[in-house]
Every structure is written in structure tokens, then in C-alpha cells.
Amino acid sequence: MHIEKNILDKVNEWLTPSFDKETQDQIVEMMTTSPKNLEESFYKNLEFGTGGMRGIMGVGTNRINKYTLGKNTQGLSDYLKKSFPDEQLKVVIAYDCRHNSDTLAKVVADVFSANGIKVYLFSEMRPTPELSFALKYLNCHAGIVLTASHNPPEYNGYKVYWQDGGQLVPPQDEEIIQVIENLKYSEIKFDANDSLIEYIDIAVDKAFINSTIENASFNTSAKAKENLKIVYTSLHGTSIKLVPNVLANAGYTDVNIVAEQAVPDGNFPTVKSPNPEEPEALTMALALSDKLNADIVFGTDPDSDRLGVAVRNNEGKMQLLNGNQTMVVMTHYLLEQWKKSGKINGKQFIGSTIVSTPMMLELASAYNVECKVGLTGFKWIAKFIKDFPDLQFIGGGEESFGYMVGDAVRDKDAVGAVLLMCEIAAQAKEKGSSVYEELQQIYVDYGFYKEHLISITKKGIEGANEIKQMMVDLRENPLSEINGQRVIMVEDYQNSTAKNLLTNETETLNIPKSDVLIYYLEDGSKICARPSGTEPKIKFYFSVNTKVMDISEIPYAEELLSSNIQQIIKEMQLN
């Protein structure tokens, strides 16, 4: 097999004394037994995407290992010193349940300490939202969490947080990446200064639990809490460290944990994917809920930032809600609570993303608050909080099962979202309603929106090229009509343009550049194409809507909108 010279140059660098013998031995073995794997491991450098840097663990520049993460950390150390020249630098590090997360976290801590930076390192795995909270609580300059979220077991990752508790955003991200790219592996300082590494756990846990209860509790009666029957699964992840304690401290007593999935395990042995977006992931929790006749089911992903929810429908059967539905239910509830408390004065906002349901805009308008819409990823919602200090942030979410209540945490937070959904469910049950009925009433009041997502996986070098070509084709051969509806607007976030196809006028989009295309149809439908920033996938998002005058009309509307979505998919040849 022929391997390009630039790849061989990288391979040869990794065979120098800057790299340990075990690493060199693995490379030599790949050269003789698996040249294809060698090419995949070195053909590019791992890149920062929407959720930091994620990749398969192994040797090479395109893999997660002590050298790629060490280089990141050395670059970040250099950047911090330049950014805060006269301050004692402090960072906090957390990690999840994945294989090697604990050892990689220690490598990262070692490099920071070797650069004279004070490190707070969690003594055991902890949820990602606690890392965001701890960063501000401990007054740190930056934070790192070792996680690959819901990716398969062979993955790990590295997410960087800044002073405000949010993930890196422009201009820091590009500046730091430039520093990292200019580094040589031989410049990484691996020799730890253990006196600068302090282990943290219970004290920060208590502060985070108290903050969560304060932010996500809304005067639910003790009786209502006791009467809510909850089933919860951590899907072998980190949320088991906090969710049971949060619910117990908040007064929820009937919490039933899926025992088979309660033990943290990076193999995720009971699920195909530890992703609550996938219905299969909640199979065991749903079975337990039927056995116990529970009111609500929760499932969280490995690092506990995503939340899956199932509730009983009008026929008494458990029904999974999608991320847009849980976002709408939680946002509507928060807006109603703020309104009842007289706290809305036009200086508040909710947050969402360009691929999420347009229904968030309807809610904002109805409650006289702003809805700030950013690119995919909670770092953009966190950036809104930082960029608009005169506005109060109420809550916000995105379609990929993430939600953030208030601004104590600056990333999606399944711990706080679980408690908020319990408050909603307990209060609804107490008044003879349910979460499902509350959602249906929202549809009647604000319009029935239905969303659908298709993810197409394309792995490896060929896959990346195929995804790139699909986006090129969509740009060079734009659709003018879909499902009998004219395309009236095309937004291209890579070119920062919004073109009105009826008037031929083009406007500039004031959102950072990203490889995203959005089509708007004359009936209010919305179609978005976007390569994933964290997985080898291209994603297509569909949103359609119609008016319903009464809850009884929803089944018919559901059928109509489902048919519309399937027709759009067929015409775009995505099935």
C-alpha cells in the first residue's frame, strides 16, 4: 500500500526519542501489519469541533493519546501565561467513566503543573456540568474535562473551558489552536510538580448540589414530590455520582435506579450506544417503568450533559420525548414561573441553536423576552450570557437533548435538567395533568411543530471526503422546490449569506462561519444540512409545522406532518 510522504514524515517523527518505547513499538507493528490503520492514525491532526476534541484512542496525530493531549495542554499553558501574565494561574480538571480517562486526566494535570500552573483535579469521575460550575466556584482561569460524551467506547476527548465556565469560543479557540499547531512534541513538559496538584471532591459536590437545587426548584409541595414515581438510569456514566443525591436533597423520595446500568463502565455493556437520543438506550429503564407504573423516566449520557426523557401519554403508555420537545416544555415552564414572579421586564432572554425548533422563537415572543439563536453547541449559548451582561438568562437548549437552567453552569446540564423536569412533572400530576398533556397544550397555544433528524455515518478518509462532497453538491446545485413548496430562503453559514430566492437579495449573517446550510420553504418548513463536529456523520434536520385549535386535532396533525417529512426525505434522496 502506498502511503503519502507527508504521512510518513509524521510517522518518522513519532519514532524519535521524544516518544516512549511502547508508542514506537506500536507504530512499527502497524507499519508491517496494518498500513491502512497507520494511514488513518496519521493522515491529519485531531481537530477541535463543536464539543472540543474527540477521537479514537491510540497512537498517532489523529488519535487521542498522552502526546496529542499533552501538546494541547502545553499549548494551552503557554496561552494562559500570555493572557494572564501577572496572575497565579489555576485550572480545574474533571473526567468521565471512559477507558483511560483517569490516566489521561493525570497526564493533563502533570503538564499544567510542570508549567507552574495550580491544578484542581477531581479525585474520581464527575459530570461535565460540575466541571463548568467548579471552574467559576474555584475562580480558575480554565478547565478541562476528559470525555467523548456519547461516542462509542473506543473514543475519548478533551474539552476546554474558559474563565466564564463556558467552552472555548472565538477568538480564544483559534488563537490557542495556532499555539498548539506551532508546538513541537519535544516541547511538551511532562514532569509533574505534584505540589501544585490538589485533589477535590466532596466540598465542590455539595456546592454544586446546593446550586442545582436553588436554580431548578420552583415551590413544589413536599407531597407532590413524594407522589412522583421516577425511574432513572445513568447508562453506566458519571451522573450516578450526583443525580440521586440531588433528587434526594430536593425531596424526591420515589427514585428507582436501573441497577444493571448504575455501575460506571467505559464498555457500556448493556447498550449499543450510551446516547439518550437513541430510543434503544432507554429500553431497560422503560421496562422498569412499566413494572413500577412510573410517571417519568430519565436517562443521561456518560458525562451527564445530555438528558433523555419518557413520560406517559394520554393512553397511559410511556412515550419518549425528543430534544426539541423537552426543551420546549422546560422553557415554557421557566417562562411561566418568571412571569408569575413578576421578573420579566423585557431584559431577559432564552437561548437556542440554528438547528433546533423554531418554536423557541414563538415562546420568546409570547413572553416578551429575546430568543438568541447561535450555532450548534452550548458554547454559543454560554457566549450570549457573557456578551450580554445586561440581560438575564432564563434557560436554553438544543435539539440534541441538552438543556441549561440559569447561568450557574455554562454548558448543557443533565443534572439540573432532571430536577427541573421532576418539578414540572410533580406539579402537573398534582393538578391532575401530566407532562404530555402540558406539551399538547403548548402545541395548541403556539403551533404544532414537528422535528426529525437523519444522521448518515461516513467513516475514515473516504467518509470525510464523501461528506465534504455532499455539502459541495448542495451548494453548487441548490434546491429550488421541495415537496411542492418553493424554497424562499437559503442561509449559508460558511459564506455568511442569507439569500432570498424570491427577491434575489442577499444579506450578511452575523453569526460565526460554520459549514451549515439551511433551506426555508414557503409553508414554514425548515431543512438544515450540517456535518457533525464530533462524529464522522452528516446530519439533516427537518422542521415542519401547522396550527391546531384543540388537543383532539393533534393526532391528525402528527400524521400530516410525518407524511410531509417523509416526502421531503424521499425527494432529497436521503432514504
Side-chain angles (χ1 to χ4, degrees), residues 456-470:
I456 301 171
T457 300
K458 302 280 187 180
K459 293 185 177 181
I461 301 171
E462 295 86 353
N465 290 332
E466 282 184 61
I467 288 172
K468 194 176 291 184
Q469 189 58 48
M470 288 173 81

Side-chain angles (χ1 to χ4, degrees), residues 85-101:
D86 301 316
E87 297 183 35
Q88 171 56 57
L89 296 171
K90 296 187 291 184
V91 299
V92 57
I93 302 169
Y95 58 91
D96 70 2
C97 60
R98 288 179 175 273
H99 299 306
N100 305 316
S101 280

Side-chain angles (χ1 to χ4, degrees), residues 59-301:
V59 300
T61 60
N62 189 35
R63 296 288 183 257
I64 294 287
N65 52 65
K66 66 176 286 189
Y67 296 103
T68 52
L69 297 194
K71 193 177 180 186
N72 284 354
T73 308
Q74 184 62 52
L76 182 55
S77 298
D78 294 345
Y79 186 83
L80 284 167
K81 288 179 180 179
K82 183 181 174 184
S83 301
F84 307 101
D86 301 316
E87 297 183 35
Q88 171 56 57
L89 296 171
K90 296 187 291 184
V91 299
V92 57
I93 302 169
Y95 58 91
D96 70 2
C97 60
R98 288 179 175 273
H99 299 306
N100 305 316
S101 280
D102 53 351
T103 54
L104 289 171
K106 182 60 167 65
V107 167
V108 172
D110 289 349
V111 175
F112 277 129
S113 70
N115 281 276
I117 296 171
K118 168 74 177 179
V119 178
Y120 296 100
L121 175 61
F122 277 98
S123 61
E124 293 180 325
M125 64 172 199
R126 287 296 189 278
T128 289
E130 186 173 6
L131 181 280
S132 173
F133 172 84
L135 203 162
K136 289 197 297 171
Y137 179 73
L138 297 170
N139 196 28
C140 290
H141 297 83
I144 304 291
V145 61
L146 281 296
T147 176
S149 189
H150 57 279
N151 283 57
E154 63 270 21
Y155 280 76
N156 215 318
Y158 182 96
K159 288 166 75 169
V160 184
Y161 292 76
W162 207 238
Q163 270 188 307
D164 65 322
Q167 288 186 54
L168 281 181
V169 291
Q172 281 90 3
D173 55 356
E174 290 298 331
E175 292 171 359
I176 290 170
I177 289 168
Q178 197 59 53
V179 173
I180 293 168
E181 288 297 319
N182 290 336
L183 272 173
K184 295 183 175 70
Y185 285 100
S186 58
E187 297 177 83
I188 304 169
K189 297 175 183 176
F190 282 114
D191 295 328
N193 179 349
D194 289 328
S195 68
L196 289 176
I197 300 175
E198 180 180 337
Y199 288 90
I200 56 173
D201 38 48
I202 295 171
V204 180
D205 291 345
K206 286 182 177 177
F208 178 69
I209 289 169
N210 290 338
S211 172
T212 300
I213 292 171
E214 182 182 341
N215 281 315
S217 296
F218 292 91
N219 301 313
T220 304
S221 71
K223 185 178 179 183
K225 291 177 180 181
E226 291 167 7
N227 285 341
L228 186 71
K229 189 178 285 290
I230 302 161
V231 165
Y232 152 73
T233 176
S234 59
L235 297 178
H236 305 288
T238 58
S239 71
I240 198 70
K241 293 285 186 182
L242 283 176
V243 167
N245 288 339
V246 165
L247 293 179
N249 279 275
Y252 289 91
T253 56
D254 198 348
V255 180
N256 304 275
I257 299 171
V258 179
E260 300 92 332
Q261 297 176 326
V263 178
D265 188 336
N267 289 320
F268 313 112
T270 64
V271 290
K272 290 179 183 175
S273 168
N275 184 0
E277 290 180 88
E278 304 289 342
E280 181 272 337
L282 295 183
T283 300
M284 296 179 81
L286 291 171
L288 182 59
S289 74
D290 286 339
K291 181 180 177 183
L292 301 175
N293 194 31
D295 299 301
I296 193 164
V297 168
F298 297 110
T300 56
D301 69 343

Side-chain angles (χ1 to χ4, degrees), residues 1 17 29 48 138 187 238 253 303 316-317 351 372 428-429 447 450 453 473 497 503 506 515 542 553 555 574:
M1 175 179 173
E29 184 180 349
F48 281 87
L138 297 170
E187 297 177 83
T238 58
T253 56
D303 69 325
K317 293 181 179 179
K372 295 192 176 295
K429 185 177 181 181
K450 185 173 179 62
L453 167 67
D473 291 344
T497 58
T503 64
T506 300
D515 191 8
F542 308 91
E553 296 178 14
L574 297 174

Side-chain angles (χ1 to χ4, degrees), residues 1-8 11 31 35-36 38-39:
M1 175 179 173
H2 173 73
I3 297 178
E4 298 291 333
K5 183 181 181 300
N6 66 316
I7 296 176
L8 286 175
V11 171
M31 290 173 77
K36 175 68 175 172
L38 183 78
E39 184 182 45

